[in-house]
Amino acid sequence: MATNNFTLHIATENGSGSQSANNILVKSLFRLGLKVSGKNLFPSNIQGLPTWFTIRVNPDGFLSNSLNYNIILSLNPVTFAKDIAKTKPGSVFIYNDSFKFDKTLLNSEALNIAVPFTELAREASDSAKLRKLLINIIYVGVLSELIGLDFKTVEAVIGDQFKSKPSVAPPNIKAFRIGVQYAKEHLSSIKSNFDFKVKAITGGNDGKILIDGNTATSLGLVYGGCNFMSWYPITPSSSIAEGFDFYAKQLRVNKDAQNNFAVVQAEDEISALSMVLGSGWAGGRAVTCTSGPGLSLMSEAAGYSYFAEIPAVIWDVQRGGPSTGLPTRTQQSDVLFAAHLSHGDTEHVLLLPANPKECFEFAQTCFDLAERLQTLIIVLSDLDLGMNFWCTDELKPLEQKFDRGKVLNSQALNERGEFNRYKDLDGDSIPYRTLPGTEHKQAAYFTRGTGHDESAQYSESPEVYEHTLDRLKLKYETAKKYVPKPLVQQNDKIKTGLIAYGSTDSCIQEAQSLLQAQNISTNYLRVRALPFTDEVLDYLQKNDRIYLIEQNRDAQLKQLLLNKYPQFYDKVHSVLNYNGQSISAEFVTKKILSIEGGLS
Amino acid sequence: MSESKNVNAFGLTKKDYLGAKTTLCTGCGHNSITAVLTNALFLSQINPYKVAKVSGIGCSSKTPAYFLNSSHSFNSMHGRMAPVATGAKITNKDLYTLGISGDGDTASIGIGGFIHLIRRNLPMLYVIENNGVYGLTKGQFSATADKGSKIKSGDKSPFETIDLCSMALDLGCGFVARSFSGDNKQLTQILLAAMKHKGTAVIDIISPCVTYANNEGSTKSFTYVKEHLSPLHQIGLVEPSEDIKVDYNEGETTQVKMPDGSTLTLKKIKKGHDVFNREETIKTLIETRDSGQILTGIFYINENQKNVLDHLNLSDTPLAHLPTDQMQPDPKHLTEILKGFK
């Protein structure tokens, strides 16, 4: 018996309405107190192409991708053979009995369950269009009965799901009950031997929420004081802008019903970041969200932000690249590009959130960093983190005050008597700025992307130019004081260390436990930002063997790390997942074991 | 008394509206525009501290350094004046946004930004200093070069010219005008009118490039450049030229001898032109262009349009100056929202 420990894999067509059904399943499991995740593997298409949804329930909270599917539900005749191939001895294969196919294809070592979904849908509705949608809710019913999901919980979730369209709820509840009833009548003998069961845990998810990273980001931006968002639609980042607009309309409206924010859908990503620069220059807490192709177009303004020292934030939800790549698949492959985004000598501060809670946190602190350091901050999320369901701690707004950085108003200018836009007065390489509109004779300065001296005057002087570049490099050093530090789990007796970042974190704990079962104990450091801080160096020194786990082909973070610390070249090994599917603990473990085997 | 006459509404003298010394070629039309613009700003009711000068890249985009030192300026990237101005204006709607761009900056690399800025109707003055040539990269065609005109290599521009005024009219721009850099009187009038407009005001200013412009029939000029100025690429010698000035009446035409020896025929829009009739204006513009003349004047005004700030329903306090409590909602609302995620 695998109580509260299984992976359910559902094959459907996109645009068929299965998303709602899958959401209902995930949410019901969550409400019953189980640790659950839901990952949607979808095509870059609106209707009719194969899509898979994977729900993982795990008592230890290991919720990253698992390719070991216990229950496979196949409702898509096109992928039928592929789905059968995913079965293993002991797995359950539920399929639509109406499909005409060669029954010998079925894996005889799996538990194969035929359900007449098409006929059951006829019971549910007279409308052919509605039947197509309701078939999904019918499978929710069948599955609920088999795994033992509490019906009342599921029906409550269905009610919530269709809250905005109350007339839709009753036919869905009816369809759900048809599925349950069928399973009760025809699958009771199977149910009694069914391996994969759900047992509710009272209070199991107290203090937790089920949320995707993009929604958490939107909420973070609302609470982080973002007042300007410019964006160009691109998967998988669009839901951040739409979410920000949605929540800001509720939470950032003043007593006169006016908006304390602006959202502008730009004509392209070049304009999107240029608008952000205009806003940051004028005193806005401004952000744009995008993905790889958009990031490419933003490189021009990224360099401007760095060189002219204008606060700006790019929230990049990474997908498979290069070029259009895999628009609906996940990767961590913009790291190297983002770190140096622009022509010329450029280094950017990067933030690497690993879960929705951190998306929420960084969506607030990114503006503090941008305004404090007067530069571009690039946050690297990814599709897995941004668009899938994650079980995470309840979000709590940060209590710290906003850091608006070194801005001089007219009173401060009076006190100082002198203002030089790019002069380092505090020894931290961060100069002072004024905002346009400041009514003071000394306030104005000329912002330019060309060579400039401390007073922002045009300069081609070799000394001045070199000085500017050197100061910007020192400013990047200053950034170490402000960026989030890595999270380190270090036992000095253990000499093997893992390093990961971003959504890859979700599989590490499980991988550590799998490695432990093979007598390999590991330390773990999760990088949360660039520049690397001293803790990273310390970790590299303390561990004899390091595995840097990331989701790209070229070991991008490893390149950045070894560029900074080349002395550790021999001890850092890569574990790389780059097939577009989110990384699994099984994969990491297998890779590490094979390297360990070769080394010992 | 004479003292007070030299001081404007903000207690500032004309000197306060000056900037750094120009680094453009002597006789450049852009310098004339800068002078007229400086004067118009002095005469206007605009607080110079509240002006945000924004530009792109090119000879024209350098000019914000040459006037109004007391205002902030953002000399941005090539073709990005429009989006940068958009971000700045929306963030601080109290700023008077003055955009300076050129024909390369607007009609080629920045045409997307130009179009969408007008679509949004961002309140600003959008000045195009139009010489039909890429000056700063030494004389390539721009998209506003007349079809058939020649560049220094002797090649004729084979493509149709882009008329930015016609385009602005088509996009529904609520203030469209054209003038000539040497027509102080007309340009001043147009600028002062444009500064009162509540949306995007586009002014296309024909501004001769004394160094690289070579229009149709300018074989003389081509020879001249070849014989006299071709070393320019090596030694940077630019022959000083006289400023070109014109003064003519409404409905009349005037011939302007360009530095390269070619002739430009300007036609001032007739008295009584209905500036509220968009269709007629578009027709007149096309007819004038087809007859080989360049129409100048205020073409079209529409003050009954909503602008992007209206649509965004922005708070009275500019976003840049919102107090923290207007930027950070009460945590209790989040608790309420998160119930939907359980």
Side-chain angles (χ1 to χ4, degrees):
Chain A
M1 285 283 277
T3 304
N4 295 345
N5 191 3
F6 57 86
T7 301
L8 168 62
H9 188 62
I10 301 166
T12 55
E13 276 178 21
N14 76 323
S16 67
S18 57
Q19 183 71 33
S20 303
N22 298 333
N23 292 355
I24 288 164
L25 275 170
V26 175
K27 201 150 216 184
S28 302
L29 289 160
F30 176 82
R31 284 202 190 163
L32 292 168
L34 310 188
K35 300 283 174 270
V36 61
S37 65
K39 293 188 192 295
N40 190 14
L41 198 70
F42 61 106
S44 179
N45 176 270
I46 300 301
Q47 202 197 345
L49 288 184
T51 180
W52 292 270
F53 194 83
T54 305
I55 296 171
R56 187 172 182 196
V57 180
N58 183 281
D60 301 310
F62 299 157
L63 297 174
S64 65
N65 201 15
S66 169
L67 301 176
N68 184 21
Y69 306 128
N70 303 113
I71 308 168
I72 297 168
L73 179 84
S74 179
L75 278 181
N76 187 354
V78 175
T79 62
F80 205 62
K82 269 191 195 171
D83 295 329
I84 289 174
K86 292 172 189 167
T87 56
K88 289 176 187 150
S91 55
V92 178
F93 187 71
I94 305 170
Y95 61 95
N96 189 345
D97 200 21
S98 319
F99 293 165
K100 300 221 177 346
F101 73 104
D102 178 3
K103 293 274 192 297
T104 60
L105 283 173
L106 291 169
N107 181 351
S108 59
E109 290 181 280
L111 174 60
N112 297 301
I113 305 174
V115 177
F117 285 111
T118 310
E119 282 159 42
L120 291 175
R122 277 193 204 109
E123 268 181 59
S125 173
D126 296 333
S127 143
K129 197 180 156 201
L130 210 54
R131 278 204 294 271
K132 209 180 162 196
L133 295 171
L134 292 174
I135 213 166
N136 301 301
I137 305 299
I138 293 172
Y139 76 63
V140 173
V142 172
L143 281 168
S144 297
E145 167 63 12
L146 282 175
I147 63 176
L149 263 186
D150 174 54
F151 304 145
K152 275 194 182 142
T153 305
V154 182
E155 291 188 1
V157 172
I158 294 174
D160 289 352
Q161 176 90 9
F162 301 111
K163 207 184 265 173
S164 55
K165 289 176 275 180
S167 65
V168 183
N172 277 282
I173 300 229
K174 184 183 167 195
F176 170 70
R177 288 180 182 172
I178 288 171
V180 171
Q181 196 54 35
Y182 175 84
K184 274 189 198 289
E185 286 170 14
H186 300 88
L187 307 175
S188 57
S189 59
I190 289 173
K191 190 191 170 184
S192 53
N193 294 316
F194 204 73
D195 270 345
F196 309 104
K197 294 282 185 202
V198 162
K199 188 163 180 271
I201 301 170
T202 311
N205 279 326
D206 284 357
K208 299 276 181 188
I209 52 167
L210 191 70
I211 197 167
D212 59 277
N214 282 359
T215 303
T217 302
S218 306
L219 286 165
L221 296 172
V222 168
Y223 274 88
C226 174
N227 47 24
F228 186 87
M229 151 80 80
S230 178
W231 67 297
Y232 185 79
I234 186 168
T235 303
S237 74
S238 301
S239 58
I240 293 178
E242 288 163 344
F244 175 72
D245 194 49
F246 178 77
Y247 291 115
K249 276 177 183 153
Q250 298 170 37
L251 302 180
R252 295 280 300 278
V253 175
N254 69 18
K255 58 178 174 22
D256 301 317
Q258 296 167 324
N259 295 332
N260 285 326
F261 69 96
V263 177
V264 180
Q265 187 181 321
E267 48 274 17
D268 53 41
E269 288 93 343
I270 297 172
S271 284
L273 186 58
S274 298
M275 286 182 198
V276 165
L277 259 59
S279 175
W281 177 73
R285 276 163 97 82
V287 68
T288 180
C289 55
T290 192
S291 189
L295 195 67
S296 288
L297 290 184
M298 287 176 186
S299 61
E300 175 190 49
Y304 195 104
S305 164
Y306 175 80
F307 193 51
E309 302 180 63
I310 297 174
V313 178
I314 298 174
W315 196 284
D316 174 26
V317 187
Q318 298 168 95
R319 65 190 216 185
S323 188
T324 308
L326 293 181
T328 59
R329 299 296 149 89
T330 198
Q331 226 171 25
Q332 297 179 306
S333 51
D334 295 344
V335 180
L336 202 51
F337 182 52
H340 299 285
L341 191 65
S342 172
H343 53 274
D345 290 325
T346 316
E347 272 183 309
H348 297 295
V349 174
L350 305 184
L351 295 180
L352 306 164
N355 50 57
K357 188 185 169 218
E358 223 162 49
C359 285
F360 180 73
E361 181 188 327
F362 290 177
Q364 297 164 80
T365 54
C366 60
F367 298 113
D368 294 343
L369 284 166
E371 293 195 304
R372 167 56 48 187
L373 298 167
Q374 295 177 27
T375 195
L376 174 66
I377 307 296
I378 304 176
V379 190
L380 295 175
S381 174
D382 62 45
L383 183 141
D384 181 28
L385 171 56
M387 292 189 74
N388 287 325
F389 285 120
W390 291 57
C391 196
T392 198
D393 290 340
E394 198 162 324
L395 311 176
K396 292 206 168 57
L398 298 174
E399 283 173 10
Q400 71 212 44
K401 280 189 176 159
F402 294 155
D403 182 354
R404 304 303 307 263
K406 298 182 185 181
V407 178
L408 301 174
N409 57 21
S410 36
Q411 194 192 336
L413 287 167
N414 274 337
E415 286 160 13
R416 285 167 184 260
E418 194 188 45
F419 169 59
N420 291 298
R421 169 65 181 99
Y422 294 111
K423 194 165 184 177
D424 176 16
L425 294 173
D426 304 330
D428 58 2
S429 297
I430 305 171
Y432 286 80
R433 62 179 184 134
T434 55
L435 301 182
T438 306
E439 299 206 44
H440 194 282
K441 274 206 165 174
Q442 257 151 10
Y445 68 94
F446 197 89
T447 306
R448 55 177 97 236
T450 44
H452 44 267
D453 64 16
E454 287 178 337
S455 333
Q457 297 297 318
Y458 181 71
S459 170
E460 293 173 357
S461 146
E463 294 79 19
V464 167
Y465 175 64
E466 205 173 77
H467 176 76
T468 304
L469 289 187
D470 288 343
R471 183 175 57 77
L472 289 172
K473 192 149 186 82
L474 286 171
K475 191 167 85 166
Y476 196 66
E477 288 295 306
T478 298
K480 289 180 179 176
K481 274 196 275 183
Y482 296 95
V483 296
K485 305 236 176 293
L487 296 184
V488 190
Q489 209 183 85
Q490 166 80 29
N491 176 344
D492 287 351
K493 286 184 194 140
I494 297 169
K495 292 294 174 190
T496 302
L498 310 181
I499 296 180
Y501 60 95
S503 68
T504 303
D505 172 65
S506 65
C507 77
I508 299 298
Q509 209 192 337
E510 184 182 5
Q512 283 184 298
S513 119
L514 292 171
L515 287 165
Q516 192 62 61
Q518 305 289 323
N519 291 319
I520 299 172
S521 306
T522 50
N523 292 314
Y524 176 37
L525 177 143
R526 175 155 73 82
V527 181
R528 298 202 297 162
L530 256 66
F532 297 111
T533 51
D534 293 345
E535 293 81 2
V536 177
L537 175 62
D538 185 57
Y539 187 79
L540 289 168
Q541 283 165 338
K542 281 183 176 159
N543 288 280
D544 295 339
R545 193 136 72 217
I546 307 266
Y547 291 100
L548 208 168
I549 305 145
E550 50 187 319
Q551 304 192 58
N552 56 66
R553 184 193 67 183
D554 292 342
Q556 297 191 10
L557 193 83
K558 184 177 145 191
Q559 289 192 46
L560 292 166
L561 188 77
L562 292 178
N563 189 37
K564 282 278 181 245
Y565 309 111
Q567 65 270 37
F568 301 111
Y569 186 86
D570 289 336
K571 65 168 151 182
V572 184
H573 305 270
S574 274
V575 174
L576 304 170
N577 172 71
Y578 50 91
N579 63 7
Q581 301 209 34
S582 61
I583 195 164
S584 69
E586 294 109 300
F587 172 84
V588 173
T589 310
K590 210 171 120 190
K591 286 278 173 187
I592 292 179
L593 288 176
S594 90
I595 301 172
E596 288 278 315
L599 291 170
S600 55
Chain B
M1 282 299 281
S2 62
E3 273 278 306
S4 63
K5 268 187 187 169
N6 295 327
V7 173
N8 72 359
F10 301 96
L12 298 169
T13 64
K14 222 172 216 178
K15 212 178 144 195
D16 295 319
Y17 284 73
L18 301 178
K21 192 175 178 297
T22 176
T23 58
L24 299 177
C25 306
T26 310
C28 176
H30 297 357
N31 287 334
S32 310
I33 298 171
T34 299
V36 177
L37 199 49
T38 308
N39 187 45
L41 283 163
F42 175 74
L43 297 173
S44 77
Q45 296 300 306
I46 298 165
N47 178 352
Y49 290 133
K50 297 291 177 195
V51 174
K53 296 175 284 179
V54 187
S55 61
I57 292 293
C59 293
S60 56
S61 290
K62 285 176 150 195
T63 64
Y66 313 142
F67 66 97
L68 217 53
N69 257 351
S70 45
S71 305
H72 277 73
S73 195
F74 194 138
N75 175 209
S76 71
M77 300 147 280
H78 198 16
R80 312 297 165 232
M81 184 275 271
V84 167
T86 303
K89 176 69 181 178
I90 290 173
T91 302
N92 186 347
K93 62 181 187 177
D94 286 354
L95 295 174
Y96 180 78
T97 310
L98 171 56
I100 308 283
S101 183
D103 39 315
D105 204 51
T106 286
S108 287
I109 195 167
I111 191 119
F114 173 72
I115 287 171
H116 288 277
L117 178 129
I118 293 174
R119 259 188 82 225
R120 291 186 191 103
N121 195 19
L122 184 85
M124 75 174 294
L125 174 55
Y126 193 125
V127 172
I128 303 141
E129 306 191 350
N130 184 356
N131 56 16
V133 73
Y134 284 82
L136 208 50
T137 51
K138 305 196 170 178
Q140 300 79 13
F141 276 129
S142 91
T144 62
D146 289 328
K147 188 178 178 181
S149 62
K150 285 181 187 167
I151 49 168
K152 63 174 191 251
S153 64
D155 289 343
K156 281 185 177 180
S157 175
F159 306 119
E160 289 297 335
T161 177
I162 290 179
D163 181 341
L164 294 167
C165 286
S166 297
M167 189 178 262
L169 277 165
D170 190 55
L171 292 163
C173 184
F175 190 105
V176 183
R178 179 181 288 134
S179 189
F180 180 69
S181 61
D183 193 342
N184 291 6
K185 214 161 84 185
Q186 184 196 42
L187 185 52
T188 305
Q189 284 166 353
I190 290 176
L191 286 169
L192 285 171
M195 284 170 186
K196 291 185 177 141
H197 181 59
K198 291 195 296 285
T200 307
V202 168
I203 308 180
D204 179 25
I205 309 173
I206 307 299
S207 173
C209 175
V210 294
T211 308
Y212 294 108
N214 288 273
N215 295 338
E216 193 169 11
S218 61
T219 41
K220 183 187 165 203
S221 148
F222 176 62
T223 316
Y224 181 85
V225 171
K226 206 169 179 185
E227 287 178 5
H228 298 271
L229 291 183
S230 57
L232 171 145
H233 303 296
Q234 287 93 46
I235 60 167
L237 170 73
V238 178
E239 298 289 308
S241 301
E242 291 291 313
D243 287 1
I244 302 161
K245 294 290 169 204
V246 296
D247 189 7
Y248 62 118
N249 295 321
E250 283 162 331
E252 291 177 358
T253 57
T254 187
Q255 308 272 317
V256 180
K257 194 120 167 125
M258 298 296 277
D260 55 24
S262 66
T263 306
L264 216 60
T265 306
L266 301 175
K267 182 176 184 184
K268 204 163 275 189
I269 206 156
K270 67 177 191 293
K271 206 168 191 169
H273 164 70
D274 183 0
V275 292
F276 305 113
N277 189 334
R278 184 156 157 258
E279 278 174 34
E280 265 313 301
T281 306
I282 292 173
K283 210 174 132 209
T284 311
L285 265 173
I286 294 171
E287 283 169 2
T288 325
R289 190 165 69 225
D290 288 350
S291 69
Q293 295 174 334
I294 299 167
L295 194 67
T296 68
I298 295 177
F299 299 152
Y300 182 66
I301 298 175
N302 182 354
E303 292 294 347
N304 302 317
Q305 289 169 306
K306 277 194 171 181
N307 63 46
V308 65
L309 305 180
D310 300 326
H311 291 296
L312 288 170
N313 182 30
L314 296 178
S315 62
D316 290 337
T317 309
L319 298 177
H321 300 306
L322 287 174
T324 309
D325 67 347
Q326 296 292 304
M327 297 169 81
Q328 205 171 26
D330 191 322
K332 73 177 184 213
H333 300 306
L334 184 64
T335 310
E336 199 54 41
I337 284 170
L338 292 180
K339 283 182 185 164
F341 293 89
K342 290 186 174 184

